[in-house]
């Protein structure tokens, strides 16, 4: 079984800028970036601890996968899923996200079920929650 068998996949209109921002603001590290044509990204893998996300450029390519995905800006900023990232220090990540310009949509707080977290948007509107609640530790 892989270290992280569930890997969220995202699409960005400006994937190169998103990769730079995700690494600088949230602390992801580039694991692999496959450039595409015209300053696009065909495929990228960014790691965070034992976890990883995959992403690529949102293109007007007419294929089965592309037809399934809409960007947050295309649907009024709404989401059908979000990403939760377990961190050791939610307050430090909160300051890092705010300093990087991430719009905070739910302020940092202690949760009734345990842990401390906050929710923000990235530069293209995807929603991320960073918190100390680790469901594997329960």
């Amino acid at each position: 079984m892989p270290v992280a068998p569930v890997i969220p996949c995202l699409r960005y209109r400006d994937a190169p800028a998103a990769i730079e921002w995700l690494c600088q603001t949230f602390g992801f590290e580039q694991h692999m970036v496959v450039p595409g044509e015209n300053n696009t990204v065909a495929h990228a893998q960014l790691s965070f601890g034992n976890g990883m996300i995959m992403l690529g450029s949102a293109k007007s390519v007419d294929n089965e996968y592309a037809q399934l995905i809409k960007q947050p800006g295309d649907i009024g900023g709404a989401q059908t899923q979000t990403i939760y990232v377990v961190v050791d220090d939610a307050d430090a990540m909160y300051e890092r996200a705010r300093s990087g310009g991430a719009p905070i949509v739910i302020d940092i707080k202690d949760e009734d079920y345990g842990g401390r977290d906050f929710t923000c948007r990235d530069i293209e509107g995807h929603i991320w929650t960073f918190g100390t609640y680790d469901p594997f530790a329960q």
Side-chain angles (χ1 to χ4, degrees), residues 3-4 6 10 12 14 25-26 33 36 44 66 69 79 81-83 89 93 102 109-110 112 114 125 128 131 133 138:
V3 173
V6 178
L10 302 161
Y12 289 91
D14 187 347
T25 303
F26 293 159
V33 177
I69 300 173
Q79 307 286 299
Q81 75 284 319
T82 64
I83 299 172
D89 186 341
M93 180 57 86
K109 63 182 176 180
D110 294 321
D112 293 340
W128 297 75
Y133 179 75
Q138 304 308 312

Side-chain angles (χ1 to χ4, degrees), residues 6-85:
V6 178
I7 302 172
C9 300
L10 302 161
R11 291 287 182 235
Y12 289 91
R13 285 188 176 92
D14 187 347
I19 291 168
E20 182 178 338
W21 191 87
L22 291 166
C23 291
Q24 288 179 356
T25 303
F26 293 159
F28 279 89
E29 295 181 5
Q30 291 185 26
H31 183 261
M32 178 197 318
V33 177
V34 179
E37 297 177 0
N38 302 318
N39 197 34
T40 62
V41 174
H43 176 79
Q45 298 168 186
L46 305 182
S47 61
F48 188 95
N50 290 335
M52 180 176 287
I53 62 169
M54 295 189 296
L55 66 92
S57 293
K59 315 178 239 184
S60 59
V61 174
D62 191 18
N63 66 33
E64 292 172 312
Y65 190 70
Q67 303 249 342
L68 298 172
I69 300 173
K70 298 287 184 203
Q71 296 305 105
D74 295 341
I75 54 174
Q79 307 286 299
T80 59
Q81 75 284 319
T82 64
I83 299 172
Y84 184 88
V85 181

Side-chain angles (χ1 to χ4, degrees), residues 10 12 18 21-22 26 72 102-103 120-128:
L10 302 161
Y12 289 91
W21 191 87
L22 291 166
F26 293 159
C120 63
R121 291 186 185 272
D122 66 23
I123 60 172
E124 291 197 15
H126 297 282
I127 295 176
W128 297 75

